[in-house]
Amino acid sequence: MQEDHQKWMTLALEEAQKAREKGEVPIGAVGIMEGNLIARAHNLREAPHNPLGHAEIYVIEQASQHLKRWRLHDMTLYVTVEPCPMCMGALLQARIPTLVFGCRDPKAGASGSLYDLGRDPRLNHQIEVIEGVLTGPCSQIIKDFFQGRRR
């Protein structure tokens, strides 16, 4: 199972690199269903001036359009960085059962860092969370990006 997680996170990292090349915060995500890739995306907020342009949102939209349904109860979402509250809300609304992420986001993370929305028993849906897959590379691409910005 860990091999599969690393395989899919590697694809999410490829998406993060695409975002970085466009000057976007380098976060990438993929949607996997029954061992198959059904959606992939990266952050895209700057060029389209879209505050909702997070990788997770794009993956959810693509998967829903592809499957012609909004309930993604059989999809696993992989993302390089812990989702923010908006993205965790979208995962909950889409009924995604499993989230796998690479590194935590201590400033905006909503899956254990600041909040733990996916595991809140007061909500009508909970999400299994697997964290720490390829943490080093997921963390490094973000650090490098922001160090470059500060220079």
Side-chain angles (χ1 to χ4, degrees):
M1 192 59 144
Q2 185 63 19
E3 247 177 50
D4 287 341
H5 291 325
Q6 290 179 354
K7 170 185 168 183
W8 299 123
M9 191 62 73
T10 298
L11 287 180
L13 277 163
E14 289 175 10
E15 287 296 318
Q17 183 59 37
K18 290 177 187 176
R20 182 182 184 160
E21 290 167 3
K22 295 176 182 176
E24 299 279 350
V25 174
I27 297 175
V30 297
I32 306 303
M33 189 177 293
E34 297 177 359
N36 295 305
L37 176 70
I38 61 164
R40 63 188 301 166
H42 52 273
N43 272 16
L44 197 56
R45 294 193 309 174
E46 300 300 329
H49 311 293
N50 181 3
L52 307 178
H54 290 206
E56 301 95 321
I57 300 296
Y58 287 125
V59 165
I60 290 167
E61 287 178 339
Q62 286 177 26
S64 294
Q65 294 302 309
H66 174 73
L67 298 167
K68 299 187 180 357
R69 58 182 162 96
W70 64 268
R71 285 185 184 88
L72 302 176
H73 55 83
D74 46 358
M75 185 176 91
T76 298
L77 191 137
Y78 289 78
V79 62
T80 55
V81 177
E82 177 183 7
C84 71
M86 174 184 71
C87 292
M88 282 305 297
L91 269 79
L92 288 161
Q93 290 299 313
R95 308 300 193 266
I96 293 173
T98 307
L99 163 69
V100 181
F101 70 85
C103 65
R104 283 189 169 227
D105 181 348
K107 294 183 178 182
S111 188
S113 290
L114 290 181
Y115 308 101
D116 202 356
L117 295 177
R119 294 180 273 210
D120 189 327
R122 296 170 296 179
L123 300 173
N124 68 337
H125 176 70
Q126 283 77 47
I127 298 172
E128 174 190 14
V129 177
I130 300 165
E131 67 175 279
V133 176
L134 298 182
T135 300
C138 291
S139 178
Q140 195 62 51
I141 193 170
I142 291 285
K143 286 178 186 172
D144 291 348
F145 176 80
F146 285 111
Q147 283 176 351
R149 277 273 175 75
R150 286 190 285 274
R151 280 188 222 131

